[in-house]
Amino acid sequence: MQMPDPDAGVIARRDDIAARLSGAVADKSAVITDPAETRVYECDALSAYRCAPLAVVLPSTTQEVAAVLRICHEEGVPVVPRGAGTSLAGGSMPTADAVVIGLARMTGVLEISTDDRLIRVQTGRTNLSVTGAVEGQGFFYAPDPSSQLACAIGGNIAMNSGGAHCLKYGVTTNNLLGATVVLMDGSVVELGGPMGEGPGLDLLGVICGSEGQLGIVTEATLRILPKPEGARPVLIAFDSAETAGACVAAIIRSGILPVAIEYMDRPCIHATEDFCGAGYPDCEALLIVEVEGSEPEITEQLSLIGEIAHRFAPLEFRESRSEEESRRIWLGRKSAFGAMGVISDYMCLDGTIPVSQLPHVLQRIGEMSAEAGLRVANVFHAGDGNMHPLILFDANAPGDLERCEALGADILRLCVEVGGCLTGEHGVGVEKRELMSAQYSDADLEIQMRIKDVFDPHWLLNPAKVFPLATSAPRRDRHAA
Amino acid sequence: MRPDSEADLAAMIRAANGTLSITGGATRLRPGEGQGARIDMRGLSGITLYEPEALTLVVRAGTLLADVHKALASEKQMLGFEPDPRPGSTIGGVAASNASGPRRVSAGACRDAMIGLRMVTGSGEVIRNGGRVMKNVTGYDLVKLAAGSRGTLGALTEIALKTAPVPPQRATLRLSGLNDPGAIAAMTVALTGPFDVTGAGRLPDRTVILRLEGLPGSVEYRASALRRALTDRGDVQIVEGDADFRTLRDYPRTATAVLWRIVLRPSQASQLLAGLPGRHAIDWGGALIWAEAAPGWQPDLPPGAQADAVAGTVQTLPAPDPVTARLNAAIRAEFDPRGLFAGGS
């Protein structure tokens, strides 16, 4: 992975900078410079690319984050914000001259108001523990990325994370009401408000999904929802991908809005069966459709889904009858990524396509996979077209990673060609920045970079992410000069 | 000026040397807006793509909202949010004003349904952001920035929107005779329980209205469950359909004096309601209050609340803090470096 040359001047001043940073935090152990300890921060979940940072700071309050940023701003030091490090696109990969600001110590709940349907938290708190803080009162936080046990709300906001249930509840941007944001110069701004509305432009909307390049979100006000009375999945097996895709379209057109529609193909089903034995049928493609509500409502929805599915002559229509059966229906899907990891190294793509293009894209992926001589397994959120083709390769075989990356880029370009996009939920990070010009024109990228200029004129926050390296070079050089 | 293509519009903006106002039906202008030369966007109309099975619609900005509704209704669908339908209103005006009706409590605002756009900036450049898929984190989300920007960043030319199935059944629960705290409490019960309420408000005649939508059996089940939850709060009447919500949605257009739009937390609403001078209505479960008042009156805002006078005189409370104001001005300057686009705020 090509990264800009680190600023030698900054690296030479490491000790002075670290000393100043120590003065900005109450707990001196919050500043880490020992190479043995900064190792943990060399990469995020895209572990193929690594670089040790200049230093790591783990602040405890918004004021400390502001003080640290003010110092980095004055010293001209790049800053890489980090939630829990679960980014799959290298969104928090450091550079050698960068200070990593980790949110791991900022996990507090600041306020809960069930009457106002909101919770205010520090953004180092994990996604699942936000629900944990309100479920006793009958509420939950809706966006549910698969990494929800580990990932931090700050990272969710940076990546505008989604999850299996976003078909009904939307993604992070649809559930974020307000944020305390520290800008690169150390100024603190409150964005949003009741119902997410603030004065003037929707700045909260542009911060969400900006991959930590516009500011560091230290506190967030999140919408919470009353828990539905119950939920039940159904598993539907088909003998072809086309039929499964057609069934998804028919369900959505019928007017029922399930909370999730998940898809898995044969290679993925086989791998998960070997891994966890969920008892899935032997078939080309299967769907897991989940509906919510009271018992009579669930029955009403599932009987309609049954009528629709049977028009497509499914190999099996397995309606859950108990908590245990529901758990087993979800087990394979939830274990899919781990299961694939057991049989092979893999690269997980994240392209999104219009649902109508599903059969065409699956067929093309099959052809491209055969041409490249690399196996591809598919598991994804079919309701919203967010695909996760997994390209299997051997990390120890010379040239395999490169072939895998080339096939991945071709598949993502295919997604864009059919009207989709490069990334539905993982973000661009360092991984897909060079592909940005496949989706956006120079003018489209220029206006985005001008937004960055407004928030971070010297391009110090999370540098070398999102935009093609050559495209952003003049702006980064302007700062260096 | 009335461009009939995006290229035409871009040329007009490049050639402009004075104040411009981008308008569709000009039905949502606020005091102070609409100055200078008008660019009438109604020449850029028509649906460019509609995929009912993907719940997505791509439409040119000058298309009449009524025509959008008609096209969706033919597939038993509707917009994923609920703008008030003013005669002559265009989808561009809806997007530029982030018009979001009662359904906002469940489905979100117009901005939440906006997934992509094309626009012409103040430099006359055509840009595209987002796309036509529901999940997209490719680059910065300028779609949200443009939603509600009231024509101050550029002229929207094409908008991609989420649609939703029209629920086969609708019912409204009506409660009358409640005082202010009682009305807010009834809405809070409805919105904090497992009833999936898609609208909660109070009409100027003080009737509290709660909407349930979905499959017939489900609506029936939830209506009786919600009625039970509200029994000790007064007499609950259940009526079919949602005519009352049309009345609530249209209320701002019927206001006669200065109209304030106040957004606050529902838990703050009772206190504010007690100090209102005249006719008013409540939406979004208590988070939105429309209040009519005489010129010169100002609301006594609780912490965090926002208020705009949207008809009559120009006023926004509180003024944005200096950092937010600076960011707003700087972003406007990047989109519109020559300061062509007039804006009330």
Side-chain angles (χ1 to χ4, degrees), chain A residues 395-411:
Chain A
N396 295 321
D400 242 31
L401 175 64
E402 289 71 21
R403 281 198 299 141
C404 177
E405 285 178 331
L407 175 60
D410 286 344
I411 291 175

Side-chain angles (χ1 to χ4, degrees), chain A residues 111 113-118 139 159-160 162-163 166-168 170-171 173-174 183 185 187-206 208-211 213-214 223 226-229 249 252-253 255-257 294 296-297 300-301 304 352-356 381 384 386 418-428 436 439-440 443-444 447-448 450-455 466-467, chain B residues 51-55 75 77 98 104-108 111-113 121 123 125-142 144-145 147-149 152-153 162 164-166 168 187-188 191-196 215-219 221-222 225 261 263-268 284-288 304-306 316 318-321 323-324 326-335 337 345:
Chain A
E111 183 195 356
S113 170
T114 53
D115 278 1
D116 295 323
R117 282 89 68 195
L118 61 83
F139 284 79
M159 296 303 169
N160 190 18
C166 72
L167 186 57
K168 176 167 182 190
V171 293
T173 193
N174 310 117
L183 304 182
D185 65 5
S187 52
V188 178
V189 60
E190 298 287 340
L191 299 178
M195 304 302 284
E197 285 189 16
L201 299 169
D202 188 351
L203 301 180
L204 185 64
V206 77
C208 190
S210 64
E211 307 204 14
Q213 292 200 307
L214 303 183
R223 184 168 81 126
K227 270 197 279 195
E229 286 173 64
I252 291 176
R253 281 197 73 147
I256 308 168
L257 202 53
S294 62
E297 291 176 293
E300 189 180 25
Q301 294 176 76
L304 269 174
T352 293
I353 57 163
V355 181
S356 55
H381 315 302
D384 55 35
N386 189 186
V418 301
C421 62
L422 297 172
T423 166
E425 59 184 6
H426 295 175
V428 178
M436 281 290 272
Q439 184 172 339
Y440 287 124
D444 300 340
I447 196 79
Q448 292 183 33
R450 287 189 184 182
I451 298 296
K452 169 95 170 140
D453 292 339
V454 166
F455 283 88
V466 181
F467 301 105
Chain B
E51 286 186 354
E53 69 279 14
L55 302 175
E75 295 285 346
Q77 291 194 349
N98 192 29
R104 183 159 191 188
V105 292
S106 56
R111 57 89 90 179
D112 292 297
T121 66
S123 350
E125 205 145 28
V126 178
I127 61 154
R128 201 171 58 91
N129 192 262
R132 63 178 178 99
V133 288
M134 290 189 197
K135 282 167 85 182
N136 180 357
V137 289
T138 323
Y140 300 162
D141 189 352
L142 305 185
K144 303 292 181 290
L145 196 61
S149 63
T152 61
L153 300 181
K162 280 199 264 191
V166 173
M187 289 187 252
T188 303
L191 287 166
T192 54
F195 309 109
D196 215 358
L215 298 176
S218 170
V219 169
Y221 171 86
R222 282 182 277 138
R261 179 185 183 277
V263 180
L264 74 180
R265 290 182 175 204
S267 62
Q268 299 169 325
W284 301 348
L288 171 65
Q306 308 283 335
T316 295
D321 69 274
V323 180
T324 304
R326 174 173 67 75
L327 293 171
N328 269 283
I331 290 172
R332 279 182 65 170
E334 295 293 351
F335 275 85
S345 54

Side-chain angles (χ1 to χ4, degrees), chain A residues 278-446:
Chain A
Y280 284 174
D282 186 25
C283 59
E284 277 308 314
L286 67 78
L287 300 175
I288 298 171
V289 184
E290 181 156 282
V291 297
E292 279 182 355
S294 62
E295 212 29 58
E297 291 176 293
I298 288 175
T299 309
E300 189 180 25
Q301 294 176 76
L302 286 184
S303 92
L304 269 174
I305 289 172
E307 276 173 36
I308 295 163
H310 282 101
R311 280 192 252 141
F312 296 90
L315 299 173
E316 188 175 343
F317 184 88
R318 187 188 298 177
E319 193 177 318
S320 161
R321 300 276 166 209
S322 65
E323 281 290 311
E324 173 56 20
E325 281 182 28
S326 295
R327 194 189 66 78
R328 290 187 71 80
I329 286 180
W330 275 111
L331 178 66
R333 170 62 184 91
K334 298 212 166 171
S335 316
F337 287 62
M340 297 309 295
V342 171
I343 59 170
S344 171
D345 300 306
Y346 70 79
M347 173 189 260
C348 173
L349 304 181
D350 175 42
T352 293
I353 57 163
V355 181
S356 55
Q357 297 288 331
L358 210 48
H360 167 69
V361 170
L362 287 172
Q363 189 200 336
R364 279 293 296 137
I365 288 177
E367 290 161 11
M368 291 158 86
S369 148
E371 281 162 31
L374 290 167
R375 284 189 297 159
V376 178
N378 284 290
V379 49
F380 54 87
H381 315 302
D384 55 35
N386 189 186
M387 306 186 73
H388 294 304
L390 305 177
I391 307 176
L392 312 189
F393 71 106
D394 179 355
N396 295 321
D400 242 31
L401 175 64
E402 289 71 21
R403 281 198 299 141
C404 177
E405 285 178 331
L407 175 60
D410 286 344
I411 291 175
L412 292 180
R413 281 192 204 97
L414 169 69
C415 292
V416 172
E417 270 164 36
V418 301
C421 62
L422 297 172
T423 166
E425 59 184 6
H426 295 175
V428 178
V430 292
E431 191 195 28
K432 288 176 284 282
R433 72 183 175 207
E434 303 305 327
L435 283 170
M436 281 290 272
S437 39
Q439 184 172 339
Y440 287 124
S441 73
D442 289 349
D444 300 340
L445 291 176
E446 169 68 19

Side-chain angles (χ1 to χ4, degrees), chain B residues 59-82:
Chain B
V59 58
R60 291 199 189 93
T63 312
L64 289 173
L65 179 59
D67 290 345
V68 172
H69 282 154
K70 210 182 296 169
L72 295 177
S74 72
E75 295 285 346
K76 294 201 178 99
Q77 291 194 349
M78 59 186 192
L79 288 168
F81 59 109
E82 191 175 19

